[in-house]
Amino acid sequence: MPRSATRTVLVTGTAALALLATACSSSGDGGTADSTSTAPTSASGAPAAFQSAHKGGTLHLVAKSAAGSLDPQVNYTLQYWQLYQGMYDGLLAFKKVGGQASFTVVPDLAASMPKVTNGGKTYTFTLRKGIKFSNGKALTTDDVVASFERVFTVSSPTAGSFYNGIVGADACLKKPAGCTLPKGVVGDAAADTVTINLTAADPEFPYKLAVPHASIVPKGSPAKDAGTTPLPGTGAYKAASYDPNKALKLVRNPYFKEWSREAQPQGYPDEIDETFGLTVEAEVTAVENGQADWMFDPPPADRLNEIGTKYAKQVHVSPLTAMYYLTLNVNQAPFNNLKARQAINWAVDRSAAVRLYGGTNLAQPVCTVLPPGFPGHTDTCDYTKGGGTTWKAPDLAKAKALVKASGTAGQEVGIVVPDDEVNKSIGEYLQSLLTQLGYKATLKPLSANIQFTYIQNTKNKVQLALTSWYQDYPAASDFLNVLLSCGSFHAGSDSSINIAGFCDKTVDAQMQDALATERTDMTAANTKWGAVDQAVMAKSPLVPLFTPKLVDFTSTRVGNYQFSKQFYMLVDQLWVK
């Protein structure tokens, strides 16, 4: 989701201990302190049968702010990627279950897994019959072809990193308007098949087809970001209305019939409402009082002890494959200077950031891009006092020496952070630190509704930003290639996920070599990705801070809580009746 999740957890150390002492960690397997509300999961990861007695009702969700565009091929936030699971479909999907099985790719709009030929470069899909969009229009091969072309037309954030291997994609990336893929995505209406041709084999391609940016929408959908206008989908729910200042309302898709419980299960609530604008204090109170069933935002520190004790059975804690990090704009002063960038990596006290986030029970400091336990991760740390393989302490003396050597002392630095409590507190720490290093630092908090797109656009001249990255799928390239490749950088675009603007030809060649190695030897490829991680950190375009855990707080009405490692809480599988 990962995908920037505009979501954090703000807790004090004491409160975190209370939470974790009373609430069982789900460990990604759908667990919760209230075992009676947890969905059963078979050893094979098969989804449980639909329980009609729990069908119905309205699920009330609350969030401090909306997450921007509702367009599934444009939006890149956890907040809406969670909701898209019940709204849109691709040719393939991640299995809608809790636990490790949620990383499994299964057929969705395709009747079966694709036939792969031509040395792994050609994928042929046969579409399921009888599927309709929420506007009543039947799904056809034309819709599939048009949807892949639209990925490029609307400059989807991952067009240049996920789908650039499609034949003809290079021309579409250079000139998105009017993109066509006549040899890349070929529909055969008579046979109900769609064939996708790649320029080279890509073992990660099934993953890329299972995320929301590969959603299939009707042919004729706008050739630009649809914004607040909902696009028809094929999922169990459709958006009835959306006002980013007020609410998003989802209702059942009247044309939906469950074709695969694994890929797109029938949902339980009749309606799912997410309202915006409450303070996080008010969100907590609303969940406690049963006026809301789940809050997207983190509970504030002064309520955590209360939640972790009195409401412990409503707390769900799950570890994540994610990274909180600082981006350093390599194309703008002072961070167009390598020594200035390295100075920030040496200076940042990652333990301080962890404390501000909630303590070691809810986060752990890191100094690599790839999270611990993730494919390709190697225990190494270039920026820790005294050296070693894991982060221990900052080295301010070395940082100050690098700033002096860079000649950048005295320059102005703007720090752009989301405006929630925890991100602002980390931002205040960073402002103090940069001032100590000799910079003229200014803190610039922005609404989470716009901060993520704002920091991507080079026109805004963002020098340093605090953000986060949550995996799209379990592969090293989903961090390194997506966040730091030349193909992920698009000057002047709100969809330039390479926020640092990092484009190093040597490192890019290493990434391409690792991707090529994946076609024949994933183990060897992951070793190469580990080397890419180290090469990136030597160039210091970003500062990894910590990997987090997630706390979900739900009302007493909620049952059937399931935590997908891929997309987190399965919203439309919750019971509210």
Side-chain angles (χ1 to χ4, degrees):
M1 295 188 173
R3 191 177 45 179
S4 173
T6 54
R7 186 170 189 194
T8 53
V9 182
L10 174 60
V11 289
T12 63
T14 301
L17 288 171
L19 255 177
L20 294 174
T22 55
C24 300
S25 170
S26 73
S27 301
D29 295 317
T32 170
D34 182 4
S35 60
T36 61
S37 67
T38 304
T41 303
S42 71
S44 65
F50 187 79
Q51 299 189 41
S52 57
H54 292 289
K55 181 180 179 181
T58 298
L59 180 68
H60 296 283
L61 316 177
V62 287
K64 183 179 179 182
S65 64
S69 171
L70 197 60
D71 194 321
Q73 293 188 320
V74 173
N75 189 283
Y76 212 176
T77 67
L78 167 62
Q79 186 170 350
Y80 287 173
W81 274 36
Q82 279 186 286
L83 298 180
Y84 289 157
Q85 299 314 299
M87 299 171 65
Y88 296 99
D89 296 280
L91 293 170
L92 304 176
F94 285 95
K95 190 183 292 188
K96 303 300 190 299
V97 293
Q100 193 67 29
S102 60
F103 283 149
T104 304
V105 174
V106 296
D108 192 357
L109 296 179
S112 60
M113 293 299 287
K115 181 181 180 181
V116 183
T117 56
N118 190 26
K121 294 189 290 185
T122 298
Y123 287 69
T124 302
F125 300 86
T126 300
L127 296 187
R128 296 183 192 269
K129 299 183 184 298
I131 295 180
K132 292 184 177 182
F133 289 100
S134 55
N135 61 1
K137 180 181 178 295
L139 170 74
T140 69
T141 57
D142 285 347
D143 300 310
V144 178
V145 173
S147 293
F148 279 97
E149 292 172 343
R150 187 176 185 272
V151 167
F152 299 95
T153 303
V154 300
S155 296
S156 179
T158 52
S161 52
F162 284 11
Y163 311 108
N164 59 334
I166 296 174
V167 172
D170 52 350
C172 288
L173 287 167
K174 292 176 183 176
K175 188 178 180 181
C179 167
T180 59
L181 299 166
K183 296 182 179 180
V185 185
V186 183
D188 183 336
D192 267 338
T193 61
V194 174
T195 300
I196 301 178
N197 293 305
L198 305 180
T199 58
D202 179 3
E204 296 178 12
F205 196 57
Y207 287 147
K208 298 169 183 177
L209 295 179
V211 299
H213 287 165
S215 294
I216 305 304
V217 294
K219 180 180 180 181
S221 293
K224 61 180 181 180
D225 183 350
T228 60
T229 302
L231 295 178
T234 51
Y237 294 88
K238 67 175 185 175
S241 61
Y242 178 46
D243 181 342
N245 295 313
K246 295 181 181 179
L248 170 62
K249 178 180 179 180
L250 307 184
V251 297
R252 290 190 184 277
N253 171 4
Y255 299 99
F256 175 78
K257 292 182 180 179
E258 186 179 278
W259 59 79
S260 168
R261 187 141 188 81
E262 289 187 330
Q264 184 59 266
Q266 180 180 177
Y268 283 100
D270 286 336
E271 185 176 315
I272 301 173
D273 296 340
E274 185 165 65
T275 56
F276 314 119
L278 289 179
T279 66
V280 289
E281 289 277 358
E283 289 181 39
V284 172
T285 301
V287 174
E288 290 178 348
N289 293 340
Q291 297 165 312
D293 297 308
W294 175 75
M295 57 184 290
F296 175 78
D297 302 289
D302 62 352
R303 303 294 292 275
L304 259 294
N305 189 54
E306 163 192 349
I307 292 170
T309 52
K310 186 176 180 181
Y311 300 93
K313 290 185 177 182
Q314 297 164 228
V315 176
H316 317 262
V317 182
S318 305
L320 304 175
T321 45
M323 169 183 68
Y324 272 68
Y325 67 105
L326 308 179
T327 64
L328 305 176
N329 190 333
V330 303
N331 300 311
Q332 186 174 335
F335 301 124
N336 56 355
N337 186 301
L338 174 60
K339 291 180 179 178
R341 299 197 302 271
Q342 291 175 330
I344 304 302
N345 252 306
W346 280 110
V348 169
D349 185 344
R350 290 157 173 81
S351 291
V354 166
R355 286 194 298 273
L356 291 168
Y357 186 79
T360 54
N361 289 290
L362 289 178
Q364 65 180 95
V366 293
C367 39
T368 57
V369 178
L370 297 174
F374 202 71
H377 172 82
T378 301
D379 287 333
T380 182
C381 193
D382 291 341
Y383 303 101
T384 186
K385 190 172 185 178
T389 58
T390 58
W391 190 86
K392 296 187 288 293
D395 193 328
L396 274 176
K398 184 168 289 188
K400 289 179 179 178
L402 283 166
V403 171
K404 182 178 180 180
S406 72
T408 61
Q411 294 187 18
E412 295 183 354
V413 177
I415 304 167
V416 183
V417 302
D419 66 354
D420 63 89
E421 290 85 347
V422 70
N423 281 313
K424 282 197 296 185
S425 67
I426 295 175
E428 289 164 356
Y429 158 70
L430 294 169
Q431 182 182 17
S432 174
L433 177 65
L434 265 69
T435 299
Q436 190 176 355
L437 291 175
Y439 295 110
K440 297 175 182 177
T442 303
L443 184 62
K444 300 178 179 180
L446 290 180
S447 167
N449 192 27
I450 63 171
Q451 193 258 2
F452 185 55
T453 52
Y454 181 89
I455 64 178
Q456 292 182 65
N457 197 320
T458 54
K459 294 178 181 178
N460 296 321
K461 300 184 184 303
V462 174
Q463 297 160 290
L464 188 154
L466 171 63
T467 190
S468 56
W469 185 253
Y470 290 62
Q471 65 152 70
D472 294 302
Y473 54 82
S477 67
D478 187 50
F479 279 79
L480 292 163
N481 188 52
V482 171
L483 295 180
L484 295 160
S485 68
C486 295
S488 293
F489 177 59
H490 311 287
S493 170
D494 284 350
S495 298
S496 182
I497 197 61
N498 183 342
I499 302 168
F502 180 74
C503 179
D504 184 287
K505 298 299 183 182
T506 300
V507 175
D508 225 57
Q510 285 183 262
M511 292 188 194
Q512 294 306 312
D513 180 49
L515 287 168
T517 304
E518 287 184 4
R519 300 168 200 158
T520 55
D521 189 339
M522 188 60 76
T523 299
N526 283 333
T527 299
K528 291 185 176 183
W529 281 119
V532 170
D533 199 348
Q534 294 177 57
V536 164
M537 289 310 302
K539 298 289 185 178
S540 194
L542 52 74
V543 181
L545 296 177
F546 56 82
T547 57
K549 291 183 180 180
L550 185 70
V551 175
D552 280 319
F553 182 43
T554 57
S555 76
T556 55
R557 295 201 314 150
V558 167
N560 203 45
Y561 178 93
Q562 297 177 72
F563 186 83
S564 159
K565 284 180 174 285
Q566 177 61 33
F567 290 118
Y568 305 170
M569 183 182 76
L570 298 179
V571 175
D572 65 352
Q573 294 305 296
L574 296 177
W575 300 335
V576 289
K577 182 180 177 182

